[in-house]
Amino acid sequence: MHRSLVVISSFALAVGLAAPALAQQGYQTPPQAVTDIVTRAPSPGVSVSPDGKQMLLMERVALPPVADLAKPMEKLAGLRLDPSTNDRHGTRASVGLSLQDIASGTVRRVTLPADPDISDVAWAPDGSKLVFTNTRADAIDLYTLDSKTAQARKVMTGGVNPIFQNARWLADGSLLVLTIPEQRGPMPTRSLTPVGPAIQDAAGGKAAQTRTYQDLLQNPHDEAMFAWLATSQPVIVAADGTRRSVGVPRIYTSVTASPDGKYLLMEWLERPFSYQVPWSRFPVTSAVYTRDGKLVQTVAKQPLADALPVQGVVTGRRNIEWHPTEGALLLWSEAQDGGDPRVKSANRDNLLALAAPFTGAPRLLARLEDRLAGMVGIEKSDDLIVQDYDRDTREMRETLVDVTGGSAPRQLSIRNVQDAYADPGSPLTTVTGSGFDVARSSDGKLLLSGAGATPDGLRPFLRRFDLATLKTEEIWRNSGEQLESVLDVVSDDGRSFITSYESPTDPGNLKLHAGGTARFLTNFPDPHPELTGIKRELVTYKRADGVDLTATLYLPPGYKPGDKLPVVVWAYPREFNDAATAGQNRDSPYRFTRISGMSHLFFLTQGYAVLDRAAMPVVGADPETVNDSFIEQIVASAKAAVDFTVQRGFGDGVRVGVGGHSYGAFMTAHLLAQSDLFRAGIARSGAYNRTLTPFGFQSERRVFWDTPDTYYRLSPFMAANKINEPILFIHGENDSNPGTFPEQSERMFAAVKGTGGTARLVMLPHEDHGYRGRESVLHTLDEMFDWFDTYVKTAKVPGAK
């Protein structure tokens, strides 16, 4: 069934109720007008140089063919690896590069190899050069690009191993590259004769609560393949192209130079590997070496972390890194609660430091009340801005830590991370000469940018924050009928800056603000001018219990007030501590309506209204038990959404469909089972039987054996017999997301079918949790249109003529 792009004048055309389609052979496509939009190349990606003088424009393709996804892969230790290129399995990134001078606007195209596949792009700290890789069919080459001449030069033909780390610039202009060891030997071959069974042990006496990870090691051959592909040799490539190996081949996950360039912090994985957890929990050694490859000091040796509590961390030294503005000072955190967030503690983490030569006792820099969440250095200062996070209250605290002086730590701010209205903004960063990102600072003042959420919508801002007085000065705030947010500043005082500008008719372009005036730097065209006229509005309404709800309402081109449309409600549930933050507005009425990929907004082309991001908050003061009322709260939110469509006059309250992806699919199945609000549903890549994710899911902290009734009740699989509206299940056959195994949709479909329900199951070959293949995306849209056209658009409205 293929339709044409419609406008409102055709909405009233009646079509007969069709029987569900039989299983189809081959990929289907939606209307040609939709196909044209989906396959149209997107605007280039943009990267501003560290010196603020140039921009790199990276051309991209819309969607790769499924054939690209079908390339052989090895699923190892939580990774998907391409053995032909010795890289992570993926599709083409950028296919063209250009350099644009910001002052003059001059654009110079970079000459690249035929059929380029460009990725891993990084500016040198001074903006004079870039490094990037080009992937061929069987190898990855390394290039540098001179930003003055726009000339690219190959510095390595094959041999790059970017599985864990891309090439990095060093302070002297050389490159640190992880490479394939020259003497690693042939790829391991899988024997047709097993050497024995794969065995796993549980010694007893200690709980090992691991999430439902996918793509794990399963046998000795997997271990051998993982080691063969992931082992690398660090190499320093000088500006003249000469190379020098550092250290010995290992499974390096990180190699970083100290700011003074004298040392390398090396981290690598050790055996034993695990069949229960991904590589990030394998044993890891952290050690400092000289640039000549001589061991200076072993900093930490972490054992296999296969028995961490849910949301827990390892004990001992973790998150080891260099202080970004000191010569050679190591920083790390250590848990003071045994790494268990369930343990009550007034001092959950400590932050410590150890300077070269890395002997003796480390210095305690700060005692943190909650878990370390991140830290950033400050330009021309030894101070650090340290964040710690309370998972129960969802409060984030920012503390200024004096690293080399005698000042005590000083709290800068504390707020609930869900309170968008109180977000003070985040520091804009710059790059040090040794390649570390740090917060910009001028005269002791930071530059902060933020989304600027308000009850009326987003109003992004640029602020100056005084670290001495803790006072904030607003330099600029977005105003008018557009959405404009700061990308970077090009002057120390923040008076000259670059923004990303979009409006209902502008798809997003870069704009330079300087000297009180502003001018556009780019002129990217509307990616789908045929959709001009879509109406977009931020709307608010109340739930029966008084909770404020928000959504973004889209009406198709040509809509006339009073016309009744079929409606698609698309949502994703989220948990909140309180109703006030749950009802906050986090969108803008002036955002450009960009429709691409498998977006449900394509329903606008088929005569539907779309209530997008319809709020489905699950509110509860206690994060441990908030899900006990999950079903009641999402049903109440859904009813409020449907009632709103009627009150506003564009909906009839009958022709309403609901849909969602991942946790939104989980929500969709619940709503069809526990209410009669919708005529049909679309559930993409969901999980429906929570007993198959027994050690927690989403924000649920309790394990199945602590509260089996909750897991049973929160499994729509257990209520499949109550789903009396048609439901379409779509799932990628190669889903790697923890918890959303493809089997989840297969078993849920079988349950609905087996209990007499109406359902359809579409399994997409080679697709992951999100769908990327051109044929898959087009087929998904066609399935979605057909499903709602059959069961929603044609539903009989009582009293209608």
Side-chain angles (χ1 to χ4, degrees), residues 540-579:
T540 59
Y541 46 96
K542 279 188 182 294
R543 204 163 71 180
D545 59 2
V547 174
D548 290 322
L549 303 177
T550 63
T552 303
L553 169 62
Y554 292 90
L555 296 170
Y559 173 74
K560 297 177 182 178
D563 285 343
K564 304 295 185 182
L565 307 179
V567 178
V568 175
V569 176
W570 202 268
Y572 189 97
R574 299 185 187 279
E575 297 79 19
F576 293 87
N577 283 49
D578 59 77

Side-chain angles (χ1 to χ4, degrees), residues 45 132 159 195 327 478 601 610 734 751:
F132 64 87
V195 297
N478 173 213
L601 294 182
V610 178
N734 222 4

